[in-house]
Amino acid sequence: MLNQIKEFKNNAIALEILGAFTEADALLIEQLFEEKLNNGYQHVNILIKVKDMSVLKEMKLKGFFEGELWGIKHFGKIGRCAVVSHSDFMKLVVTIENEVLHLFNPALKEKYFEETELEKALEFIASDE
């Protein structure tokens, strides 16, 4: 289940994954993302807050695939991406992804934040830089 942490008037979306990630959640992300693009933004900044890797155990397979297919299709439209968690593994993944994925999407800036840094993460995706 997704929870919208904060609503932004600019090109940012802030979401928290709580429990199972379903097909409906994937559709909600798509809808929020499309609204931003339809408002004329070239890139959408997104914050995803996850407790830790345990979210993978509760993820519904169809929701996962829907989310992945949508993410691949819209990869070039992602700007700043903040991952908020409390996981050394997630931190490592985000660090590697930022280096590798930036080669394919120069607008992408992915950054990891600890749960205690949520406000900094919100500022990161709200920034126009």
Side-chain angles (χ1 to χ4, degrees):
M1 182 175 112
L2 282 180
N3 176 45
Q4 192 167 5
I5 297 171
K6 181 177 179 177
E7 289 188 36
F8 292 88
K9 292 186 182 196
N10 67 356
N11 64 332
I13 300 169
L15 304 168
E16 179 177 22
I17 299 175
L18 302 167
F21 183 83
T22 65
E23 185 178 2
D25 294 328
L27 291 173
L28 176 61
I29 291 175
E30 182 175 346
Q31 176 188 1
L32 293 170
F33 200 90
E34 290 296 329
E35 285 175 12
K36 298 295 183 180
L37 293 176
N38 290 338
N39 285 332
Y41 296 106
Q42 289 187 314
H43 295 97
V44 177
N45 298 339
I46 189 163
L47 179 149
I48 300 290
K49 181 180 177 194
V50 294
K51 180 179 176 183
D52 54 32
M53 294 305 291
S54 66
V55 72
L56 294 176
K57 290 189 287 186
E58 299 180 38
M59 192 171 285
K60 304 294 183 202
L61 191 58
K62 190 167 184 179
F64 172 77
F65 283 122
E66 288 289 329
E68 286 300 306
L69 288 173
W70 176 86
I72 290 167
K73 181 180 173 186
H74 292 86
F75 174 70
K77 298 290 185 183
I78 300 172
R80 290 175 173 243
C81 179
V83 176
V84 179
S85 185
H86 183 68
S87 165
D88 289 337
F89 180 73
M90 289 289 281
K91 184 176 184 177
L92 177 64
V93 168
V94 169
T95 302
I96 293 169
E97 278 185 355
N98 186 55
E99 295 299 320
V100 174
L101 297 179
H102 184 72
L103 298 172
F104 302 98
N105 176 359
L108 177 68
K109 279 188 183 175
E110 189 171 12
K111 193 170 178 182
Y112 175 86
F113 295 88
E114 289 289 333
E115 287 180 312
T116 57
E117 300 175 303
L118 179 59
E119 286 303 316
K120 286 172 72 173
L122 290 167
E123 289 172 16
F124 174 73
I125 65 164
S127 174
D128 291 332
E129 292 179 8

